[in-house]
């Protein structure tokens, strides 16, 4: 972990959608959004991959809330569920998942068929679609790169929810098409060894690590707890 990266800490409650959570948690996402805005400002590619080292660390809810927070700036945002093995976003937003990313990449659907418009103000959603037999191959194919380029012409920001890094290679494959990766960890669950392994895998693949989000923080400070933001080298 040689470069400076942002470390954001989110207290419990991050599993709910932005706007239906305690004030401090919502503010934490807005602070993280500000960090991303500055980080991505200099580049043309504003595609962000969100993943975690291991399962059940909150990467899908974090990805959804980051996308919502960015859409609240009046930017046009699309959220893609690229976790083709264990999708979540269609459940979060209560959207039909008969068509989605997998059917686009397999050539069964056109892009306009699968975009769910305005699931939140300024936010569109592409669900995962049916689980394919070859997720890594689909995500690594040229059609995925072409899709992201198509979406970059339509949207200011793209957020991609991907499977855990230490479980399958899907996040590593997609990260090379993005501006960078936000890694999500859960306080009291994620281990140093797991995070080190995930970061090493990302660095080996040439991915740009934008930062680390730690959720599940429990701190007593008034009714809802408090939020901390720090940096590390």
């Amino acid at each position: 972990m040689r470069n400076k990266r942002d470390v954001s800490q989110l207290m419990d409650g991050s599993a709910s959608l932005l706007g239906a959570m305690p004030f401090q948690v919502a503010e934490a996402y807005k602070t993280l959004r500000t960090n991303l805005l500055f980080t991505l400002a200099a580049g043309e590619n504003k595609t962000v991959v969100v993943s975690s080292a291991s399962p059940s660390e909150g990467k899908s809810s974090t990805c959804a809330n980051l996308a919502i927070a960015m859409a609240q700036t009046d930017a046009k945002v699309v959220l893609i569920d690229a976790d083709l093995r264990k999708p979540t976003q269609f459940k979060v937003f209560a959207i039909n998942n008969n068509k989605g990313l997998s059917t686009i990449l397999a050539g069964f659907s056109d892009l306009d068929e699968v975009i769910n418009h305005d699931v939140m103000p300024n936010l569109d959603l592409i669900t995962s679609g049916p689980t394919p037999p070859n997720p890594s191959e689909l995500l690594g194919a040229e059609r995925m790169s072409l899709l992201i380029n198509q979406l970059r012409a339509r949207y200011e920001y793209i957020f991609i929810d991907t499977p855990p890094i230490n479980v399958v290679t899907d996040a590593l494959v997609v990260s090379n098409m993005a501006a960078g990766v936000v890694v999500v960890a859960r306080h009291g669950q994620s281990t140093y060894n797991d995070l080190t392994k995930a970061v090493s895998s990302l660095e080996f693949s040439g991915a740009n690590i934008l930062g680390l989000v730690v959720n599940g923080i429990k701190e007593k400070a008034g009714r809802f707890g408090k939020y901390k933001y720090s940096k590390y080298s």
Side-chain angles (χ1 to χ4, degrees):
M1 300 182 182
R2 294 179 293 276
N3 300 323
K4 278 193 172 182
R5 300 186 185 117
D6 294 332
V7 179
S8 295
Q9 298 184 355
L10 302 176
M11 50 170 276
D12 270 357
S14 59
S16 58
L17 286 180
L18 204 63
M21 57 176 58
F23 171 80
Q24 284 84 350
V25 181
E27 288 301 303
Y29 277 110
K30 292 176 182 178
T31 300
L32 182 54
R33 174 188 68 194
T34 300
N35 297 334
L36 282 177
L37 284 169
F38 279 104
T39 301
L40 300 174
E44 293 184 4
N45 190 347
K46 292 178 170 53
T47 303
V48 177
V49 167
V50 179
S51 190
S52 59
S54 304
S56 303
E57 293 181 323
K59 53 119 181 137
S60 293
S61 58
T62 298
C63 188
N65 282 315
L66 278 177
I68 293 170
M70 194 64 77
Q72 289 177 345
T73 67
D74 290 330
K76 189 64 177 173
V77 180
V78 63
L79 168 61
I80 305 173
D81 193 344
D83 192 339
L84 302 182
R85 303 164 193 269
K86 193 176 180 182
T88 301
Q89 301 300 344
F90 78 97
K91 299 176 183 177
V92 172
F93 292 94
I95 297 294
N96 187 290
N97 197 35
N98 290 337
K99 295 181 180 180
L101 180 61
S102 64
T103 58
I104 297 175
L105 299 181
F108 300 144
S109 302
D110 294 327
L111 176 57
D112 290 324
E113 292 181 67
V114 302
I115 295 178
N116 298 281
H117 295 282
D118 296 318
V119 293
M120 299 284 281
N122 301 313
L123 176 63
D124 293 350
L125 169 67
I126 298 176
T127 64
S128 65
T131 301
N134 54 340
S136 296
E137 289 80 0
L138 282 180
L139 293 172
E142 184 181 6
R143 198 183 293 265
M144 181 65 180
S145 181
L146 292 174
L147 172 63
I148 291 177
N149 287 335
Q150 278 185 279
L151 293 172
R152 285 176 59 188
R154 299 189 185 194
Y155 297 93
E156 295 173 70
Y157 295 93
I158 302 170
F159 287 87
I160 307 178
D161 182 9
T162 60
I165 298 162
N166 293 345
V167 177
V168 289
T169 62
D170 300 15
L172 303 179
V173 170
V174 178
S175 66
N176 290 317
M177 307 173 194
V181 182
V182 172
V183 179
V184 179
R186 179 168 292 280
H187 179 69
Q189 176 176 321
S190 305
T191 67
Y192 178 81
N193 288 341
D194 285 343
L195 285 171
T196 300
K197 181 181 177 182
V199 169
S200 296
S201 296
L202 288 168
E203 291 180 335
F204 183 78
S205 71
N208 179 30
I209 304 175
L210 298 174
L212 172 68
V213 174
V214 181
N215 61 35
I217 302 293
K218 293 182 179 179
E219 296 180 301
K220 294 181 179 179
R223 182 179 176 188
F224 292 123
K226 61 182 179 179
Y227 160 75
K228 288 185 178 179
Y229 174 77
S230 61
K231 291 185 176 181
Y232 71 101
S233 298

